[in-house]
Amino acid sequence: MKRLLALLLILSANLTHAALPIQTWTLPNGARVLYVEHRGIPVIDLSIEFDAGSRRDPLRKSGLAALTNGLLASGVAASATEAALNEAQLSDAFADTAAQRHMGVSADRAGIALRALSSQPESDAAIRLTARLLAQPAFPEALLMREKTRTIAALKEAETKPNVIASKAFMRAIYGHHPYANSPTAESLDAITRTDLITFHRTHYVASRAVVSIVGDVSRERAGQIAKQLTGHLPPGNGEALPALPEVPPMPAAEQRIAHPASQAHILLGAPAAVRGDPDFFALTVGNYVLGGGGFVSRLMHEVREKRGLSYSVGSSFSPMKQAGPFTIGLQTKKEQANEALKVTRDVLTSFLKDGPTDDEIKAAKDNLIGGFSLRIDNNRKILSNVALIGFYGLPLDYLDTWTVNIAKVSADDIRAAFGRKIAAEQLATVIVGAPE
Amino acid sequence: MKFRNFALLLLSCAKLLPACVQAQAAHEFRLANGMKIIVREDHRAPTVVHMVWYRAGSMDETSGTTGVAHVLEHMMFKGTKTLKPGEFSRKVAALGGRENAFTGKDYTAYYQQIDSAKLGEVMALEADRMNNLVLDEKEFAPEIKVVMEERRLRTEDRAASLLDESLHATAFAAHPYRWPIIGWMSDLQQMTAHDAQDWYRRWYAPNNATMVVVGDVTPAQVHALAKQHFGGIAARPLPLPRPQTEPQQRGIRRVLVKAPAENPAVILAFKVPALRDIEHDDDAYALDVLDAILDGYDNARLNAKLVRTDKIAHSVNANYDGLVRGPALFTVAGTPAKGISTLELEKRLRAEIERIANDGVTASELQRVKTQLVAAQVFKRDSVFGQAMEIGSMEMAGVKHSDIDRIISRLKAVTPQQVQAVARKYFGDDALTIATLAPQPLPAKTNPPAVKTKH
C-alpha cells in the first residue's frame, strides 16, 4: 500500500504538464480542427472525419455509408479551374505524391486519413487531391456497379466464416432494430443507386460537421491552411443537426446456437454498455484489464487458456461509441468442449461481477495502464488516432493529460459500482456458432 | 519481408526530400559469448522496443516434430528456475510493458515495448529465460492444447490458410518450407515436453541470438546492459547445418484444395532466386521491382487491368520475398469474378507478366514505383517497432543490417531492361506450382439457425 501511494505521488508530480499539447480552433465554415506539432520525421499525418458511419445507413440500404466512402476515390468531377480525373488518373496522381491514403468507415465515423511527406510540393499536391476527392466525387455509375459486385462477392465469402456469422448474430442479439445491428446484405447493396451516394455525400460530408486532425512536421500556420483547403470545397451543410437515431432498446437475454461445420465454436457474450465520454470509463478500463483486457495476465486468460488450454484467444472489451457501445467477451474453442469453455467463462464473469477485483489486481492493472501510458502516444499514428477520437466524440482537450490521474483515482468500489451499472450477468446475450450438436 | 520495406531513403534523401532528417545509423556490438547486439537511437518518445531473435524457425525442424519451434515459443512464458509460470508476463505488465513473441520459417523472436527507463529490467527477464527455462510436463499439457486451438483457428477452419499450406507442401519436396510454421496437427498431438526441451537445448544459445533495440536509449547504455545481463551466459556449439536443398523442379505441379468457402481462388508460385549476395544477385532486385510494378499500389498493373478495367477478378495480388534463408517464391494470385474460371484467371495473371516480358515497362511506371519505395522508408520511421522488425528480419536472412545503403543503391539502379529480363527468365512452366481452391458450400446453410431464448 505504501509503495502504491509513493508511486501515485511521483506519477501525479510528473504528469501535471500536458502529455500532448493539442491546439484546436473552429473554421468559419464550422469545421473543427485539432492540431499537434510533432517534429522529428518529415511526415504529416492527418484525418478528416464525419458523422457518416454505417449507423447513418438508410433502412434497407445497409452498406451505403461504406460504398459512398469507398467510391470517393473512384474519380473526381471537373471544377471551374481543374479538369476531371478518372479513377486511374487519381490513383496515379496520388502515387506520384508518395502519400498514403486510407478510407475508413465504422459504425459512427467515416472519413479519410492521409500520410504525406511534409516537404511542400509533395504534401501540397496530396492535400489538394484529397480536398477534391472529398468535395467533388464523380461516383461513376459503372464503377458503382463494379464495386457492388465485388462487395457482394466479399460479403458472401465473409458469411461462410464462423467469426463473421457470430459477430453479426451478436450485434443483432444486443441491438435488435437499432442501426448498430445492421449490416449489408446482397439485397441491401443491390438496392443502392448512384443517387443514394450523391444524397448521402451531400448530407453527411459537410464542412460544418467535419473534424480535421493534423499531427506531425507542420507549423500552426500551415495546419490552418491545410484545414481550410481540406474543407473549403465541401458542401457547407444546411446548419441543421442530423436526425436523432433511436435509443438503444433493452433486449431480452438470449442464447443463440448456430450450426457450422468448422472445427471450433466461436463464442461471443455481451450487451450494450457505454457511450464514449461515460464517467464510468476509467473504472471500466481498470476493471476490464483485470477481467479480460490485460493481455496475458487477465482472469479470463488465466482460467480459460493458461489453466485449461481451452482457447488460443480469449478476452473482454468495452467499445464506447456515440450511443451505448458493446461490452464483449469472445473466445474460440474446439467444438466438443464449447459448453465447458462457456461455463468457465461465465463463472469468471459472475464471480468478477459479484466480488470485484482484489486490491492486488487493481494495483497490477494500474501499474500497467499508468506505466504503459507513454506507449499510447509514442508515434504520429497513435497520436493522430487519439486526437481524432477526442475531436469526433467531443472529449475534453485534457483527456490525455489527465488520463493517468483518472486511472490512478479508480477504487475497488468504483469498479464494482461501474460494472453494476453497466453489466448484468443475467442480461447478456450469448452467441455460439459451430455449437456442439 | 520485401525490399519495398527497405530503406531507399538515404541516397534519395537529398534529392527528393529537402526537409528529410536521416535515420540514425544503427550501432552493432558483439558480446564475448557471440551474441550480437544492434541498437538504433530514436529519441522522439521516451519508449523503447527490445527484441531477441534466435536464428531457429520451422525450417530447422525435422519431420515428425514439425511445429516445435513455435511450441517452444509458447513455453518460453511458462517459468524458469526462479520465475513461476506466467510470472514473466506479470512482471512485464507491472512495468507497464507490452510483450509478445513470434515464430517464422527462419527465426523465433521475443519482444517487449516499454518505457525506456525499464529496459534493464526486461533485459534481465529475457536473459533469464534464454538460460534457465524450466519445461514442466504440467505446464506443457494445457499449452499444447492452446497451440492446437491456434491451429484450428488460423488454419483448419480457414480456406485461404489451407490453400497456402497445400501450395507449400506441393512446391517443396525436400526443403522444410514444405511444412507449416505451426506444424501438422498430428505432430502437435504427439509432441512432448521433451521435444520442446530438446529444441531449447539445441538452439537457445547466445551465439545463436541477436538483440535489436530501437528507441530512446544510447548504444553505450544498451551495450553495458546487454553485457551485464547476457554476458555471463556461455556460448554452446550449435547443431551442424543441414541445408535440405530443394532439388530442381522439372515440370508444372498442381494441387486442388476443397474447403468451405464462397469464392474460388488460385495461387501461382514460381521458384526464383533469393537475395544472398548483395553485390551479385542482380535478379533479386529486378524481381522486387517487378513485384511493385504488378502490385505496388492501387493502380498497379494487376489491379488496374484485371479488377478495375476488365473486371475478370474480384481481387489480385503479387508477392515476392527475397530476404529468406530458404528458397524464394514469386507468387501471383487472385479471386476470379463470377463466371470466370480459375483456369482463365491463371492465364490472365500470367499474361500480365508476359506483357512485361514482351513489351517491358515504362520509365514513368518505374519512377512511380521508386517514389513509393522511397516514401515508405520515411514513413516507416514513425514506428520504432517497424524499424526493429526490419533490422531483425534482415539479420536472420543473412543480410547485414548495415548493408542497407548498398541495397538501396542497387534497387535504385534497376533498369526497365532488367525488369523485362527477369519477367522473361523465371515465369515458365517448369518451376511453377499452382494451387486452386474449389469452394464447398456450407451444409448448415439449408437449415435455419436454431434459436433458443433463455430468460
Side-chain angles (χ1 to χ4, degrees), chain B residues 115-161:
Chain B
D115 190 296
S116 44
K118 313 280 177 58
L119 177 61
E121 290 169 78
V122 293
M123 236 189 240
L125 288 165
E126 201 60 82
D128 178 43
R129 69 178 171 181
M130 177 189 280
N131 205 32
N132 300 315
L133 190 71
V134 172
L135 275 150
D136 185 308
E137 287 287 355
K138 227 171 66 229
E139 293 299 324
F140 185 84
E143 200 58 30
I144 193 74
K145 287 166 68 185
V146 169
V147 174
M148 287 188 253
E149 293 295 346
E150 185 179 353
R151 189 183 152 84
R152 288 184 190 103
L153 179 69
R154 294 186 155 170
T155 307
E156 308 276 325
D157 290 344
R158 261 186 213 175
S161 306

Coordinates of all heavy atoms in Angstrom, one line a residue, chain B residues 115-161:
Chain B
D115 N 8.6 1.7 -21.4 CA 9.3 2.9 -21.0 C 10.8 2.7 -21.0 O 11.3 1.7 -20.5 CB 8.8 3.3 -19.6 CG 9.2 4.7 -19.2 OD1 10.4 4.9 -19.1 OD2 8.3 5.5 -19.0
S116 N 11.5 3.6 -21.7 CA 13.0 3.3 -21.9 C 13.7 3.2 -20.5 O 14.8 2.5 -20.5 CB 13.6 4.4 -22.8 OG 13.2 5.6 -22.4
A117 N 13.2 3.8 -19.5 CA 13.9 3.6 -18.2 C 13.9 2.2 -17.7 O 14.6 1.8 -16.8 CB 13.3 4.6 -17.1
K118 N 13.0 1.4 -18.2 CA 12.8 0.0 -17.7 C 13.5 -1.1 -18.5 O 13.3 -2.3 -18.3 CB 11.3 -0.4 -17.7 CG 10.4 0.7 -17.1 CD 10.4 0.6 -15.6 CE 9.6 1.7 -14.9 NZ 8.2 1.7 -15.3
L119 N 14.3 -0.6 -19.5 CA 14.9 -1.6 -20.4 C 15.7 -2.6 -19.7 O 15.7 -3.8 -20.0 CB 15.8 -0.8 -21.4 CG 16.6 -1.7 -22.4 CD1 15.7 -2.5 -23.3 CD2 17.5 -0.8 -23.3
G120 N 16.5 -2.2 -18.7 CA 17.4 -3.2 -18.0 C 16.5 -4.3 -17.3 O 16.9 -5.5 -17.4
E121 N 15.4 -3.9 -16.8 CA 14.5 -4.9 -16.1 C 14.0 -6.0 -17.1 O 14.0 -7.2 -16.8 CB 13.4 -4.2 -15.4 CG 14.0 -3.5 -14.2 CD 13.0 -2.5 -13.6 OE1 12.1 -3.0 -12.8 OE2 13.0 -1.3 -13.8
V122 N 13.6 -5.6 -18.3 CA 13.1 -6.6 -19.2 C 14.2 -7.4 -19.8 O 14.1 -8.6 -20.1 CB 12.2 -6.0 -20.4 CG1 10.9 -5.5 -19.8 CG2 12.8 -5.0 -21.2
M123 N 15.4 -6.8 -20.0 CA 16.6 -7.5 -20.4 C 16.9 -8.6 -19.5 O 17.3 -9.7 -19.9 CB 17.7 -6.5 -20.6 CG 18.3 -6.6 -22.0 SD 19.8 -5.6 -22.0 CE 19.4 -4.4 -23.2
A124 N 16.9 -8.3 -18.2 CA 17.2 -9.3 -17.2 C 16.2 -10.5 -17.3 O 16.6 -11.7 -17.2 CB 17.0 -8.7 -15.8
L125 N 14.9 -10.2 -17.6 CA 13.9 -11.3 -17.7 C 14.2 -12.1 -19.0 O 14.2 -13.3 -19.0 CB 12.5 -10.7 -17.8 CG 12.0 -10.1 -16.5 CD1 10.7 -9.2 -16.8 CD2 11.6 -11.2 -15.6
E126 N 14.6 -11.4 -20.1 CA 14.8 -12.1 -21.3 C 16.1 -13.0 -21.2 O 16.1 -14.1 -21.7 CB 15.0 -11.1 -22.4 CG 14.7 -11.6 -23.8 CD 13.4 -12.2 -24.1 OE1 12.4 -11.5 -24.3 OE2 13.3 -13.5 -24.0
A127 N 17.1 -12.5 -20.5 CA 18.3 -13.3 -20.3 C 18.1 -14.5 -19.5 O 18.6 -15.6 -19.7 CB 19.4 -12.4 -19.7
D128 N 17.2 -14.3 -18.4 CA 16.9 -15.4 -17.6 C 16.3 -16.6 -18.4 O 16.7 -17.8 -18.2 CB 15.9 -14.9 -16.5 CG 15.5 -16.1 -15.5 OD1 16.3 -16.9 -15.1 OD2 14.3 -16.1 -15.2
R129 N 15.3 -16.3 -19.3 CA 14.7 -17.4 -20.0 C 15.5 -17.9 -21.1 O 15.2 -19.0 -21.7 CB 13.3 -17.1 -20.4 CG 13.1 -16.0 -21.5 CD 11.6 -15.9 -21.8 NE 11.4 -14.7 -22.7 CZ 10.2 -14.3 -23.1 NH1 9.1 -15.0 -22.7 NH2 10.1 -13.3 -23.9
M130 N 16.6 -17.2 -21.5 CA 17.5 -17.8 -22.5 C 18.3 -18.9 -21.9 O 18.6 -19.9 -22.6 CB 18.5 -16.7 -23.0 CG 19.5 -17.3 -24.0 SD 20.9 -16.2 -24.4 CE 20.1 -15.1 -25.7
N131 N 18.5 -18.9 -20.6 CA 19.4 -19.8 -20.0 C 18.7 -20.8 -18.9 O 19.3 -21.8 -18.7 CB 20.5 -19.0 -19.3 CG 21.8 -19.8 -19.1 OD1 22.1 -20.7 -20.0 ND2 22.5 -19.6 -18.0
N132 N 17.6 -20.3 -18.4 CA 17.1 -21.0 -17.2 C 15.7 -21.6 -17.3 O 15.0 -21.8 -16.4 CB 17.1 -20.1 -16.0 CG 18.6 -19.6 -15.7 OD1 19.5 -20.4 -15.7 ND2 18.7 -18.3 -15.4
L133 N 15.2 -21.7 -18.6 CA 13.8 -22.2 -18.8 C 13.6 -23.5 -18.1 O 14.4 -24.4 -18.1 CB 13.6 -22.3 -20.3 CG 12.1 -22.5 -20.7 CD1 11.3 -21.2 -20.4 CD2 12.0 -22.9 -22.1
V134 N 12.4 -23.6 -17.5 CA 12.0 -24.9 -16.9 C 10.8 -25.4 -17.7 O 9.8 -24.8 -17.8 CB 11.6 -24.8 -15.4 CG1 11.0 -26.1 -14.9 CG2 12.8 -24.4 -14.6
L135 N 11.0 -26.6 -18.3 CA 9.9 -27.2 -19.2 C 9.2 -28.3 -18.4 O 9.7 -29.4 -18.3 CB 10.5 -27.7 -20.5 CG 10.6 -26.6 -21.5 CD1 11.7 -26.9 -22.5 CD2 9.3 -26.5 -22.3
D136 N 8.1 -27.9 -17.8 CA 7.4 -28.7 -16.9 C 6.2 -29.4 -17.6 O 5.5 -28.8 -18.4 CB 6.8 -27.8 -15.8 CG 6.1 -28.5 -14.7 OD1 5.2 -29.4 -15.0 OD2 6.4 -28.3 -13.5
E137 N 6.1 -30.7 -17.4 CA 5.0 -31.5 -18.1 C 3.6 -30.9 -17.8 O 2.7 -30.9 -18.6 CB 5.0 -33.0 -17.6 CG 6.1 -33.8 -18.1 CD 5.9 -34.2 -19.6 OE1 4.9 -33.9 -20.1 OE2 6.9 -34.8 -20.2
K138 N 3.5 -30.5 -16.5 CA 2.2 -30.0 -16.1 C 1.8 -28.7 -16.8 O 0.6 -28.4 -17.1 CB 2.3 -29.7 -14.6 CG 1.1 -30.2 -13.8 CD 1.3 -30.1 -12.3 CE 1.3 -28.7 -11.8 NZ 2.4 -28.3 -10.9
E139 N 2.8 -27.9 -17.2 CA 2.5 -26.7 -18.0 C 2.4 -27.0 -19.4 O 1.7 -26.3 -20.2 CB 3.7 -25.6 -17.7 CG 3.7 -25.1 -16.3 CD 2.5 -24.4 -15.9 OE1 1.8 -23.7 -16.8 OE2 2.0 -24.5 -14.8
F140 N 3.1 -28.0 -19.9 CA 3.1 -28.4 -21.3 C 1.7 -28.9 -21.7 O 1.3 -28.6 -22.8 CB 4.2 -29.4 -21.6 CG 4.3 -29.8 -23.0 CD1 5.1 -29.0 -23.9 CD2 3.7 -30.8 -23.6 CE1 5.3 -29.3 -25.2 CE2 3.8 -31.1 -25.0 CZ 4.6 -30.3 -25.8
A141 N 1.1 -29.7 -20.9 CA -0.2 -30.3 -21.2 C -1.2 -29.3 -21.7 O -1.8 -29.5 -22.8 CB -0.6 -31.2 -20.1
P142 N -1.6 -28.3 -20.9 CA -2.6 -27.3 -21.4 C -2.0 -26.5 -22.6 O -2.8 -26.1 -23.5 CB -2.9 -26.4 -20.2 CG -1.8 -26.6 -19.2 CD -1.2 -28.0 -19.5
E143 N -0.7 -26.2 -22.6 CA -0.2 -25.3 -23.6 C -0.2 -25.9 -25.0 O -0.5 -25.2 -26.0 CB 1.2 -24.8 -23.2 CG 1.6 -23.5 -24.0 CD 0.7 -22.3 -23.7 OE1 0.1 -22.2 -22.6 OE2 0.5 -21.5 -24.6
I144 N 0.0 -27.2 -25.1 CA 0.0 -27.8 -26.4 C -1.5 -27.8 -26.9 O -1.7 -27.7 -28.1 CB 0.6 -29.3 -26.4 CG1 0.9 -29.8 -27.8 CG2 -0.2 -30.3 -25.6 CD1 2.0 -29.1 -28.5
K145 N -2.4 -27.9 -26.0 CA -3.8 -27.8 -26.4 C -4.1 -26.4 -26.9 O -4.9 -26.2 -27.9 CB -4.7 -28.1 -25.2 CG -4.8 -29.6 -24.9 CD -5.4 -29.9 -23.5 CE -6.9 -29.6 -23.5 NZ -7.4 -29.7 -22.1
V146 N -3.5 -25.3 -26.3 CA -3.7 -24.0 -26.8 C -3.2 -23.9 -28.2 O -3.8 -23.3 -29.1 CB -2.9 -23.0 -25.9 CG1 -2.9 -21.6 -26.5 CG2 -3.6 -22.9 -24.5
V147 N -2.0 -24.5 -28.5 CA -1.4 -24.4 -29.8 C -2.3 -25.1 -30.8 O -2.5 -24.7 -32.0 CB 0.0 -25.0 -29.8 CG1 0.6 -25.1 -31.2 CG2 0.9 -24.2 -28.9
M148 N -2.9 -26.3 -30.4 CA -3.9 -26.9 -31.3 C -5.1 -26.1 -31.6 O -5.6 -26.0 -32.7 CB -4.2 -28.3 -30.8 CG -3.1 -29.3 -30.9 SD -3.7 -31.0 -30.4 CE -2.9 -31.2 -28.8
E149 N -5.5 -25.3 -30.6 CA -6.6 -24.4 -30.8 C -6.2 -23.3 -31.8 O -7.0 -22.9 -32.6 CB -7.1 -23.7 -29.5 CG -7.8 -24.7 -28.5 CD -9.1 -25.3 -29.0 OE1 -9.7 -24.8 -30.0 OE2 -9.6 -26.3 -28.5
E150 N -5.0 -22.9 -31.7 CA -4.4 -21.8 -32.6 C -4.4 -22.4 -34.0 O -4.8 -21.7 -34.9 CB -3.0 -21.4 -32.1 CG -2.4 -20.3 -32.9 CD -1.0 -19.9 -32.5 OE1 -0.6 -20.4 -31.4 OE2 -0.4 -19.0 -33.1
R151 N -4.0 -23.6 -34.1 CA -4.0 -24.2 -35.5 C -5.4 -24.3 -36.1 O -5.7 -24.1 -37.2 CB -3.3 -25.6 -35.5 CG -3.1 -26.1 -36.9 CD -2.6 -27.5 -37.1 NE -3.1 -27.9 -38.4 CZ -2.5 -27.6 -39.5 NH1 -1.4 -27.0 -39.6 NH2 -3.1 -28.0 -40.6
R152 N -6.4 -24.7 -35.2 CA -7.8 -24.8 -35.7 C -8.3 -23.4 -36.1 O -8.9 -23.3 -37.2 CB -8.7 -25.3 -34.5 CG -8.5 -26.7 -34.2 CD -9.5 -27.2 -33.2 NE -9.1 -28.6 -32.8 CZ -8.5 -28.9 -31.7 NH1 -8.2 -27.9 -30.8 NH2 -8.0 -30.1 -31.5
L153 N -8.0 -22.4 -35.3 CA -8.4 -21.0 -35.6 C -7.8 -20.5 -36.9 O -8.5 -19.9 -37.7 CB -8.1 -20.1 -34.4 CG -8.5 -18.6 -34.5 CD1 -10.0 -18.5 -34.5 CD2 -7.8 -17.8 -33.4
R154 N -6.5 -20.7 -37.0 CA -5.8 -20.0 -38.1 C -5.7 -20.8 -39.3 O -5.4 -20.2 -40.4 CB -4.4 -19.6 -37.6 CG -4.4 -18.6 -36.5 CD -3.0 -18.1 -36.2 NE -3.0 -16.8 -35.6 CZ -2.0 -16.3 -35.0 NH1 -0.8 -16.9 -35.0 NH2 -2.0 -15.1 -34.5
T155 N -5.8 -22.1 -39.2 CA -5.6 -22.9 -40.4 C -6.7 -23.8 -40.7 O -7.3 -23.8 -41.8 CB -4.3 -23.8 -40.3 OG1 -3.2 -22.9 -39.9 CG2 -4.0 -24.5 -41.6
E156 N -7.1 -24.7 -39.8 CA -8.1 -25.8 -40.1 C -9.4 -25.2 -40.6 O -10.0 -25.7 -41.5 CB -8.4 -26.6 -38.9 CG -7.2 -27.2 -38.2 CD -6.6 -28.5 -38.8 OE1 -7.5 -29.3 -39.2 OE2 -5.4 -28.6 -38.8
D157 N -9.8 -24.1 -40.0 CA -11.1 -23.5 -40.4 C -11.0 -22.4 -41.3 O -12.0 -21.6 -41.5 CB -11.8 -23.0 -39.1 CG -12.3 -24.2 -38.2 OD1 -12.3 -25.3 -38.7 OD2 -12.6 -24.0 -37.0
R158 N -9.9 -22.2 -42.0 CA -9.7 -21.1 -42.9 C -9.2 -21.6 -44.3 O -8.1 -22.1 -44.4 CB -8.6 -20.1 -42.4 CG -9.2 -18.9 -41.7 CD -8.2 -17.9 -41.3 NE -8.6 -17.3 -40.1 CZ -7.9 -16.4 -39.4 NH1 -6.7 -16.1 -39.9 NH2 -8.4 -15.9 -38.3
A159 N -10.1 -21.5 -45.3 CA -9.8 -22.0 -46.6 C -8.5 -21.4 -47.2 O -7.7 -22.1 -47.7 CB -11.0 -21.7 -47.5
A160 N -8.3 -20.1 -47.0 CA -7.1 -19.5 -47.5 C -5.9 -20.0 -46.9 O -4.8 -20.2 -47.6 CB -7.2 -17.9 -47.3
S161 N -5.9 -20.4 -45.6 CA -4.7 -20.9 -45.0 C -4.5 -22.3 -45.5 O -3.3 -22.8 -45.7 CB -4.9 -21.0 -43.5 OG -5.2 -19.7 -43.0

